[in-house]
Amino acid sequence: MIYESTRGISEQTHSADIILQGIADDGGLFVPKSLPKLDRHDLEDMLDMDYSQRAKKILALFLTDYAAEEIELCVARAYDSNKFSSRHVAPIYSLSDNIKLLELWHGPTCAFKDMALQILPHLMSIAIQKKAIKEDIVILVATSGDTGKAALEGFKDVKGTHILVFYPKEGVSLIQERQMNTQEGENVYVVGIEGNFDDAQAGVKAIFADADFNRIMKNSGYRLSSANSINWGRLVPQLIYYISSYLDMIEHGDLNWEESFDVVVPTGNFGNILAAYYTKKMGIPIDRLICASNRNNILTDFISTGTYDSNREFFKTASPSMDILISSNLERLLYELVDRNPAKLSKLMLDLKERGVFKLTKDQLKVLKKDFWSGYADDNETLNTIRAIYDEYNYVLDPHTAVAMKVLLDYRKQIDDNKKTLVISTASPYKFIEDVLKAIGDEDSLDSLDDFEMLYKLSSIAGTDIPDPLRDLKDKKILHTTDVSKKDMDNVLVNIFNLDGVNLCRLQVHR
Ligand SMILES: *Cc1c(COP(=O)(O)O)cnc(C)c1O
């Protein structure tokens, strides 16, 4: 399979190259030149398989330059039972006849980022061998909370790699921060940024785009790469669970082969819902892709009006992993909407860069709306939804999944449609303990409890176990305490890797 950049200047290339590179030289994102199709026969073939076997099949369609044994090795290392607490890796919880929850948080960090970040380091490690790369790979990550920890867990002590995570100091939950700051491993670095996620992401992008800086790193024996969802190696493992969960629903008799279903995705950087969109294009009978946002509802507006306007206030919410105003992966969808025309796409991206706004044509908007619907929930609605679902079904949602649930309920009120729906459940409720308890618990008693005591409280109220990685957190030593201003992000690299020849005045991070 050949990949090309959405901006069209870079050469077309193979998956091992693009997984190492992350972002294209021209600043675009890599996409497959064409998507493989799955017919009924292909799907029936996978019906009896478990998650890992399906993963091998699906990855092989995209990573055609990897040998079958190489893919097998990566899958075995990523999705084994030491890593994922549920035998099914991505189990479906049946809330009701027509609402199914796809639980993507049974991995080591209790959020859906594990689904991709447990395998990406192994894909990279094999790419390093295949391409006989001599430099060490330095993974730079900007995180809104969950990616950082998942990337640290995935890359820790992977030979030939270093991982540096930037997180917004004021933008993550206490548990998320503690998960990162206690990270063990010889090759891991965690740094807090004074700013929000978009600042962290803009800083990382600026470092990637700085050719001089990259040359200096290379001279010192390092090569930058990305584990953000702009990296195709992050995105392709996310296709697996949409295809696999469809097969599970067929297998359980929730759906028949002639039936389509809707998907609701709590959305931030647009990676997860884009993976669903790609599987739809491949032949999975998804009818509507429902894009759920929190109060940072730029995508809601975009999908309903065709105008993407980032000139707006940024809000911190109870679903911090979705607190994003620039959704990087939207570029890949836009590329389809402009009929894969790099010049048209580059124009939209230039408008966004220069004025913070871009606009679809009427026809493009029509195409977008055929596949997508959008809505949002504010924090009040989110917490009320956690409460309502708990009261009715005795099931506790995390705030991100609750945003999706609220948007689904709104969708059903507006559009007379009771189609079977897969709600993508992206985090364990234990990870966002304070807001979850506020929603379902007795608020007064919370004042006296710290976050770790709260875990036990939720366990007793909900009757579920605290996930092991969170229960052990309290006793772990804090190992990372560095905070910097967003202008100094590149200096962090200079210090860690002892880079010579960098003119520090020149290196300013631009938004
Ligand atoms: C990252 C994340 C999201 C958003 O996913 P995107 O792929 O960035 O749209 C939603 N919920 C949780 C819990 C997350 O960690």
Side-chain angles (χ1 to χ4, degrees), residues 367-432:
V367 174
L368 175 68
K369 283 190 167 177
K370 268 221 293 262
D371 290 326
F372 287 87
W373 196 86
S374 63
Y376 77 98
D378 66 22
D379 278 356
N380 236 335
E381 293 168 324
T382 303
L383 299 195
N384 287 341
T385 303
I386 294 174
R387 171 93 219 180
I389 295 295
Y390 174 65
D391 285 347
E392 190 170 350
Y393 301 101
N394 199 28
Y395 182 93
V396 183
L397 298 168
D398 96 285
H400 303 77
T401 312
V403 167
M405 187 64 72
K406 168 71 170 106
V407 170
L408 171 63
L409 300 176
D410 287 348
Y411 174 75
R412 287 191 172 169
K413 266 188 218 145
Q414 285 186 35
I415 307 219
D416 188 18
D417 177 359
N418 261 337
K419 207 175 267 282
K420 302 257 167 63
T421 303
L422 192 63
V423 176
I424 306 304
S425 177
T426 50
S428 159
Y430 286 94
K431 205 162 178 181
F432 301 93

Side-chain angles (χ1 to χ4, degrees), residues 282-303:
M282 289 169 72
I284 300 300
I286 296 172
D287 191 31
R288 270 279 160 66
L289 296 150
I290 301 171
C291 175
S293 301
N294 62 28
R295 197 176 168 203
N296 296 296
N297 56 358
I298 184 165
L299 287 166
T300 316
D301 291 346
F302 171 64
I303 291 168

Side-chain angles (χ1 to χ4, degrees), residues 85-355:
S85 67
S86 167
R87 198 169 51 82
H88 297 293
V89 182
I92 293 177
Y93 183 90
S94 181
L95 199 67
S96 69
D97 226 19
N98 59 9
I99 302 181
K100 311 291 172 191
L101 287 155
L102 178 59
E103 295 181 345
L104 298 178
W105 39 263
H106 293 277
T109 75
C110 308
F112 95 98
K113 304 292 195 290
D114 289 330
M115 302 302 299
L117 280 167
Q118 278 301 312
I119 192 165
L120 175 68
H122 304 297
L123 295 173
M124 257 186 199
S125 177
I126 287 192
I128 292 171
Q129 292 167 27
K130 289 171 91 68
K131 297 285 157 185
I133 303 292
K134 287 181 224 63
E135 298 91 29
D136 276 13
I137 301 282
V138 177
I139 305 293
L140 279 192
V141 178
T143 184
S144 55
D146 293 330
T147 301
K149 177 61 183 179
L152 289 162
E153 271 301 314
F155 279 97
K156 76 166 175 216
D157 297 330
V158 171
K159 245 187 99 203
T161 71
H162 306 261
I163 171 149
L164 169 53
V165 169
F166 292 105
Y167 72 93
K169 201 64 193 142
E170 305 299 325
V172 300
S173 78
L174 181 82
I175 298 248
Q176 284 178 317
E177 183 171 44
R178 188 65 74 90
Q179 279 185 303
M180 290 189 277
N181 286 345
T182 56
Q183 180 66 46
E184 293 161 3
E186 289 298 317
N187 61 341
V188 303
Y189 309 91
V190 177
V191 174
I193 297 295
E194 289 149 15
N196 61 36
F197 170 71
D198 287 317
D199 295 323
Q201 179 161 263
V204 163
K205 278 188 180 171
I207 294 171
F208 278 126
D210 189 325
D212 286 343
F213 191 77
N214 279 272
R215 188 179 40 73
I216 290 162
M217 288 218 52
K218 191 154 185 192
N219 290 342
S220 305
Y222 300 103
R223 181 179 162 134
L224 289 176
S225 189
S226 155
N228 274 94
S229 57
I230 52 177
N231 190 319
W232 180 256
R234 264 288 292 283
L235 214 47
V236 69
Q238 298 192 345
L239 305 181
I240 302 165
Y241 52 76
Y242 285 104
I243 298 168
S244 183
S245 60
Y246 172 60
L247 295 170
D248 285 344
M249 288 192 288
I250 295 272
E251 214 184 357
H252 300 166
D254 294 328
L255 285 176
N256 62 50
W257 288 108
E258 280 66 46
E259 218 174 341
S260 63
F261 63 106
D262 291 334
V263 170
V264 195
V265 187
T267 297
N269 220 4
F270 212 76
N272 202 353
I273 196 168
L274 182 76
Y277 169 81
Y278 281 150
T279 61
K280 175 174 174 157
K281 298 287 154 197
M282 289 169 72
I284 300 300
I286 296 172
D287 191 31
R288 270 279 160 66
L289 296 150
I290 301 171
C291 175
S293 301
N294 62 28
R295 197 176 168 203
N296 296 296
N297 56 358
I298 184 165
L299 287 166
T300 316
D301 291 346
F302 171 64
I303 291 168
S304 58
T305 67
T307 299
Y308 192 92
D309 189 349
S310 65
N311 301 309
R312 59 174 72 207
E313 196 180 338
F314 176 89
F315 300 105
K316 283 197 293 170
T317 73
S319 43
S321 300
M322 297 155 65
D323 289 348
I324 293 174
L325 291 183
I326 305 285
S327 296
S328 297
N329 264 302
L330 189 62
E331 177 163 343
R332 288 186 164 110
L333 176 67
L334 295 172
Y335 188 58
E336 306 300 324
L337 293 175
V338 299
D339 298 319
R340 301 190 146 232
N341 179 326
K344 283 187 187 166
L345 192 270
S346 299
K347 171 76 174 59
L348 294 181
M349 292 294 108
L350 192 67
D351 288 348
L352 180 65
K353 193 170 166 201
E354 289 184 342
R355 298 186 296 119

Side-chain angles (χ1 to χ4, degrees), residues 13-37:
T13 181
H14 295 287
S15 67
D17 297 301
I18 65 169
I19 287 171
L20 286 173
Q21 209 176 320
I23 195 161
D25 287 337
D26 55 28
L29 305 187
F30 288 112
V31 290
K33 222 168 147 55
S34 69
L35 285 170
K37 293 274 188 291

